[in-house]
């Protein structure tokens, strides 16, 4: 896609300024997933650090409805937008204004492109650790629910900020993550429950989808890269000053504060 770099430059400028656009110019607008990912790939050059990992958007029905797509899409995690547990994160310029509890995985080895898809067993055998995560997504499009999946791929799958915890120390490999409950609390305003099955039926299924989506583009997912697999509940509406706490039971907790 000849205009991919120019389209990425527009998206990056909007990301940094907190401004939005109705759509990319006609000649730059992606018509296919491949064209969307071609634009997204150019965003990496604006990061001063190596790619931190990958994200999946729209792995739940609620997530798909939120951004107006009918299936998952992949995006890149830029290291500058990763925060430690307990961090205070600014939502200045963020219009989605939601937090999303997620299961995340890091890899013990490279996942390289190959002719045949990876199986779930192969993917999980390559996982080093489970992590807990909170995403604060956003879009550079004024009406992100109407702009379409191809443009949202170009928009880095609505990536903005992630709070990602250390490796979970509790034994987790024997757990059925599809049935694992997650309880979230947003300050004293409200609470909400979720479950792993909201993530494409199982976070491990979502991770396998991501591996095959990315390696299918001819890209290697590197050892140590982290992949949050998507929200496991209805997105949590947030506002300035909120404290967001997600409890994964025996797997631990993760929290963050929205900057005032």
């Amino acid at each position: 896609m000849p205009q991919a770099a120019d389209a990425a430059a527009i998206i990056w400028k909007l990301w940094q300024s907190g401004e939005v656009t109705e759509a990319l110019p006609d000649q730059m607008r992606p018509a296919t997933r491949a064209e969307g990912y071609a634009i997204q790939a150019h965003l990496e050059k604006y990061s001063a650090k190596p790619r931190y990992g990958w994200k999946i958007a729209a792995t739940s029905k609620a997530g798909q409805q939120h951004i107006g797509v009918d299936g998952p899409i992949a995006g890149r995690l830029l290291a500058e937008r990763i925060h430690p547990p307990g961090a205070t994160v600014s939502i200045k310029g963020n219009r989605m204004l939601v937090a999303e509890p997620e299961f995340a995985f890091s890899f013990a080895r490279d996942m390289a492109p190959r002719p045949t898809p990876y199986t779930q067993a192969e993917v999980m055998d390559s996982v080093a650790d489970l992590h807990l995560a909170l995403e604060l997504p956003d879009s550079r499009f004024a009406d992100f629910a109407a702009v379409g999946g191809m443009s949202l791929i170009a928009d880095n799958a609505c990536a903005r900020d992630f709070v990602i915890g250390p490796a979970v120390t509790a034994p987790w490999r024997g757990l059925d993550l599809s049935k694992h409950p997650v309880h979230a609390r947003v300050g004293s305003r409200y609470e909400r429950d979720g479950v792993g099955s909201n993530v494409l039926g199982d976070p491990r299924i979502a991770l396998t989808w991501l591996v095959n989506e990315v390696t299918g583009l001819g890209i290697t997912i590197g050892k140590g890269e982290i992949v949050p697999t998507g929200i496991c509940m209805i997105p949590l509406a947030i506002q300035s000053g909120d404290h967001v706490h997600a409890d994964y039971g025996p797997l631990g907790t993760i929290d963050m504060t929205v900057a005032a």
Side-chain angles (χ1 to χ4, degrees):
M1 189 177 177
Q3 301 87 4
D6 293 337
I10 291 172
I11 289 171
W12 182 259
K13 184 177 180 179
L14 293 169
W15 194 349
Q16 304 315 298
S17 68
E19 298 174 337
V20 294
T21 185
E22 292 297 328
L24 288 169
D26 289 347
Q27 70 275 19
M28 299 182 188
R29 199 170 303 161
T32 65
R33 294 177 77 89
E35 290 180 353
Y37 284 123
I39 295 170
Q40 184 190 117
H42 285 279
L43 295 174
E44 280 193 45
K45 69 185 180 185
Y46 294 104
S47 176
K49 300 177 182 179
R51 186 179 64 230
Y52 192 86
W54 296 84
K55 65 158 288 186
I56 317 174
T59 53
S60 69
K61 289 298 181 184
Q64 290 166 16
Q65 292 170 2
H66 188 226
I67 62 174
V69 297
D70 59 5
I73 56 177
R76 287 157 162 83
L77 298 189
L78 303 184
E80 291 91 339
R81 310 302 302 203
I82 306 300
H83 309 273
T88 296
V89 182
S90 172
I91 55 172
K92 182 179 180 181
N94 187 320
R95 294 172 312 106
M96 282 191 173
L97 297 177
V98 295
E100 303 183 346
E102 306 190 15
F103 295 88
F105 300 90
S106 57
F107 283 99
R109 60 182 69 91
D110 289 354
M111 304 296 288
R114 71 181 196 185
T116 57
Y118 285 93
T119 66
Q120 182 176 310
E122 289 174 315
V123 170
M124 294 310 299
D125 186 58
S126 298
V127 165
D129 292 296
L130 173 69
H131 304 255
L132 310 182
L134 292 167
E135 181 181 12
L136 280 70
D138 196 23
S139 175
R140 276 51 68 173
F141 293 109
D143 189 352
F144 52 80
V147 74
M150 307 310 107
S151 288
L152 291 180
I153 289 174
D155 190 29
N156 205 20
C158 302
R160 177 162 160 147
D161 293 291
F162 268 94
V163 176
I164 298 180
V168 169
T169 56
W172 60 270
R173 289 189 182 270
L175 297 177
D176 184 349
L177 295 180
S178 71
K179 298 179 180 178
H180 195 83
V182 181
H183 181 77
R185 184 175 67 250
V186 180
S188 59
R189 295 197 297 121
Y190 67 93
E191 301 182 16
R192 184 164 295 157
D193 290 309
V195 65
S197 60
N198 286 329
V199 187
L200 278 185
D202 188 315
R204 296 165 294 190
I205 293 174
L207 182 67
T208 304
W209 177 89
L210 183 283
V211 168
N212 287 316
E213 181 83 346
V214 171
T215 58
L217 298 170
I219 300 171
T220 295
I221 299 173
K223 175 183 177 180
E225 289 195 61
I226 290 183
V227 179
T229 54
I231 187 170
C232 58
M233 61 180 63
I234 295 172
L236 304 168
I238 56 174
Q239 60 190 30
S240 296
D242 275 342
H243 180 77
V244 181
H245 178 88
D247 187 342
Y248 293 71
L251 299 179
T253 64
I254 188 166
D255 69 295
M256 53 82 58
T257 299
V258 182

